[in-house]
Amino acid sequence: MEICFIGGGNHLNNELGEVFLELSKRIKPDAKILIIPFATDNSRYESWMANIKQAFSIMENVSVELLNEDLSEKEMKKFIKEHDVLYFIGGRPERLIHVIEEKGLSPLIKDFQGLIIGYSAGSLAFCNDCIITKDKDYPKTIVIKGLELVGFSVEVHYEDKIDGELIPLSNERTVYAIPNGSAIFSKNGELFKVVNDIYSFQKMKREIVNPYSLMN
């Protein structure tokens, strides 16, 4: 299983340009991309779809469709199996995890053989331990059970002002902190590529990880 974790950034300017350039190398022409929107409200689906379609327009003849939350479990599973790429959008990771578990989709996602992409909250949800650090929406940092696709955890929209929350959490797990405009790729649960700089928190220490450091 190959997974791309996008830390955040604007789909409509060049902030995610390098990330989507890397994705274009991994997504075949004529691929069918399925947007998993459960982290956000229905009212925002249309704007998300417009932004993501524009971002994927650099790729050859790919199609972008939305997985509607109103479908039955059977219909959702059929839809997922018909696609090559799953793209989990941002919002509230706890809502995303709840809907996936409620619809019985977790085993199917774990066995998915195509590329899985997470943006912001979508990335958080993939981890064994889904860490939601405090911000304007969350008054304190919490750790909840994620979808358990990888053993490490991630921080999205990373800024160093949150280091005081991440360092203690790194005592029991590895946390990759991904700024806007950056991304990491994992294969079979292991980090193997980064786009732009990210930061690794392990054993109460922070280290920078860049594309060149993984080549050594």
Side-chain angles (χ1 to χ4, degrees), residues 5-9 16 118-120 123 155-158 178-183:
F5 301 74
I6 302 173
L16 290 171
Y119 174 93
S120 186
S123 293
E155 162 72 358
V156 294
H157 307 292
Y158 170 70
I178 314 171
N180 286 352
S182 296

Side-chain angles (χ1 to χ4, degrees), residues 78-199:
K78 181 176 183 295
F79 219 51
I80 289 172
K81 290 177 181 178
E82 292 172 347
H83 286 77
D84 306 298
V85 179
L86 304 181
Y87 190 105
F88 294 73
I89 68 172
R92 302 185 73 91
E94 73 278 16
R95 186 180 192 279
L96 171 61
I97 294 166
H98 171 74
V99 175
I100 287 173
E101 296 291 357
E102 183 182 52
K103 297 292 185 179
L105 302 179
S106 185
L108 183 60
I109 292 169
K110 288 179 179 179
D111 291 336
F112 188 72
Q113 296 303 302
L115 176 64
I116 296 178
I117 306 168
Y119 174 93
S120 186
S123 293
L124 296 179
F126 294 158
C127 307
N128 283 0
D129 295 333
C130 172
I131 298 172
I132 307 173
T133 50
K134 64 181 181 180
D135 59 17
K136 61 182 177 60
D137 297 315
Y138 299 91
K140 64 178 183 178
T141 295
I142 59 174
V143 180
I144 62 174
K145 179 178 176 291
L147 297 177
E148 301 182 330
L149 304 185
V150 294
F152 57 80
S153 295
V154 299
E155 162 72 358
V156 294
H157 307 292
Y158 170 70
E159 296 178 346
D160 58 12
K161 64 184 180 182
I162 204 68
D163 285 4
E165 300 291 316
L166 296 178
I167 288 173
L169 290 167
S170 73
N171 192 42
E172 298 180 359
R173 60 184 70 77
T174 296
V175 183
Y176 294 117
I178 314 171
N180 286 352
S182 296
I184 67 175
F185 287 81
S186 76
K187 186 174 290 185
N188 300 323
E190 297 294 328
L191 176 69
F192 76 93
K193 188 174 186 65
V194 303
V195 178
N196 297 319
D197 293 350
I198 68 153
Y199 297 84

